Amino acid sequence: MSSPSIHGIIGYTITPFSTDGQRIDLDALGLSIDRLIDSGVHAIAPLGSTGEGAYLSDAEWDEVAAYSLQKVGKRVPTIVSVSDLTTAKAVRRAQFAEAHGADVVMVLPASYWKLSEAEILAHYAAIGDSIGVPIMLYNNPATSGTDMSVDLILRIVDSVDNVTMVKESTGDIQRMHQLHRRSEGQVPFYNGCNPLALEAFAAGAQGWCTAAPNLIAQLNLDLYEAVLANDLEKARELFYRQLPLLDFILKGGLPATIKAGLRLTGLESGDPRLPVFPLGEPGRVQLQELLTLLR
């Protein structure tokens, strides 16, 4: 299966809530998507960790997915995270995303029980058989509890025709080097760990999947352009300039830090949904200081 041209800075969207947390704030969602696209990001990724997809009801998930895809309107490619606890629910989400215009769906093998390799492979195969769009395999043991080896990832790519790309978020740069080498550069992979952005591009990553463009899109884009221009000195300067904020976002939790940052920039998107707490006052002060230094 041929894949759409997914490259560069892939911006992860939030899911804004009303003040009481009981409904989705579609107006704020639309503004946040427009901000990202207007900033120049190369693709949009709704309903991942930043978008709190795991904390939405099915009806809310459908609402956010449909609205996001309509709002993006093919201005850039969309990668919709369809992960769920059961294969049947992930299939339903994947089919819904495809029907509403998603270019790619992203699948994390989430499960209450620890899955065997055979179960993981069957999960991807079932989703692949149910849709006609490409799948981005997502390896993030911190959120799924499952760490897929390079061997397993390549088995899945070989076995499921529309698993055509990989998002690697273990924080282990050697995984990316191995994926690139063992696939002979034929399997596009994407960095999902903010502090590894520079090393990941050096290892051959096609793009960087990140929530950071909600706050510092131009710096993220400038880094990517420096990498494309093979200007290593400039790329290093740009990366290390933004690294303190990238570390803060990761350690503070994506929904909490990004929503707090958007509030500081004038876009109210509510608090994260419980059990996730909003960023506390010391964190907000530190975040403001970091953003001020980068302006």
Side-chain angles (χ1 to χ4, degrees):
M1 169 180 289
S2 61
S3 297
S5 179
I6 305 293
H7 67 92
I9 304 301
I10 300 164
Y12 276 68
T13 58
I14 52 162
T15 295
F17 298 116
S18 58
T19 304
D20 61 9
Q22 297 303 303
R23 63 175 181 83
I24 308 298
D25 185 342
L26 294 180
D27 289 339
L29 176 57
L31 286 171
S32 70
I33 290 172
D34 281 341
R35 274 193 182 189
L36 284 169
I37 294 177
D38 291 345
S39 75
V41 298
H42 301 96
I44 292 286
L47 291 162
S49 302
T50 309
E52 301 178 76
Y55 299 143
L56 303 179
S57 69
D58 286 344
E60 288 174 328
W61 190 96
D62 290 354
E63 181 181 26
V64 173
Y67 180 85
S68 298
L69 290 162
Q70 178 188 26
K71 187 65 177 177
V72 173
K74 297 294 183 181
R75 287 179 286 172
V76 294
T78 51
I79 306 167
V80 179
S81 177
V82 302
S83 306
D84 210 325
L85 284 176
T86 69
T87 299
K89 288 183 177 181
V91 164
R92 189 202 73 81
R93 287 184 170 185
Q95 291 175 331
F96 185 96
E98 179 181 29
H100 285 78
D103 297 290
V104 177
V105 299
M106 186 172 67
V107 177
L108 182 78
S111 177
Y112 178 85
W113 300 104
K114 183 174 176 59
L115 300 177
S116 68
E117 291 194 354
E119 289 167 332
I120 294 169
L121 178 54
H123 182 69
Y124 279 96
I127 297 168
D129 287 345
S130 74
I131 57 175
V133 295
I135 294 171
M136 178 182 282
L137 178 151
Y138 183 16
N139 190 34
N140 187 358
T143 55
S144 71
T146 298
D147 187 358
M148 292 180 279
S149 66
V150 174
D151 283 337
L152 176 57
I153 289 170
L154 293 178
R155 278 178 57 205
I156 294 169
V157 170
D158 287 342
S159 302
V160 184
D161 287 345
N162 47 349
V163 176
T164 60
M165 57 191 86
V166 176
K167 177 184 173 185
E168 170 54 49
S169 297
T170 60
D172 180 1
I173 193 64
Q174 294 306 315
R175 304 288 188 94
M176 299 186 197
H177 284 293
Q178 289 179 44
L179 276 169
H180 190 64
R181 177 178 58 81
R182 293 181 56 185
S183 72
E184 297 181 341
Q186 297 305 301
V187 178
F189 67 91
Y190 302 82
N191 173 51
C193 182
N194 279 345
L196 283 185
L198 184 59
E199 291 177 272
F201 281 129
Q206 295 291 304
W208 176 16
C209 303
T210 175
N214 287 284
L215 306 180
I216 52 166
Q218 194 58 56
L219 277 171
N220 304 148
L221 292 160
D222 289 347
L223 171 59
Y224 180 61
E225 291 301 320
V227 169
L228 290 182
N230 202 30
D231 188 341
L232 184 56
E233 182 177 352
K234 184 176 181 181
R236 282 176 175 160
E237 186 276 325
L238 286 164
F239 173 69
Y240 285 108
R241 185 179 169 206
Q242 60 192 280
L243 182 58
L245 179 60
L246 298 177
D247 278 331
F248 182 86
I249 291 171
L250 181 64
K251 292 173 183 176
L254 299 179
T257 54
I258 297 301
K259 285 187 168 183
L262 287 173
R263 182 175 288 144
L264 290 170
T265 63
L267 179 57
E268 179 57 56
S269 57
D271 291 332
R273 182 160 281 178
L274 293 173
V276 178
F277 283 178
L279 197 64
E281 183 58 26
R284 287 194 292 270
V285 170
Q286 185 178 356
L287 179 57
Q288 179 69 78
E289 291 171 350
L290 290 168
L291 289 172
T292 299
L293 285 172
L294 292 175
R295 287 178 184 147

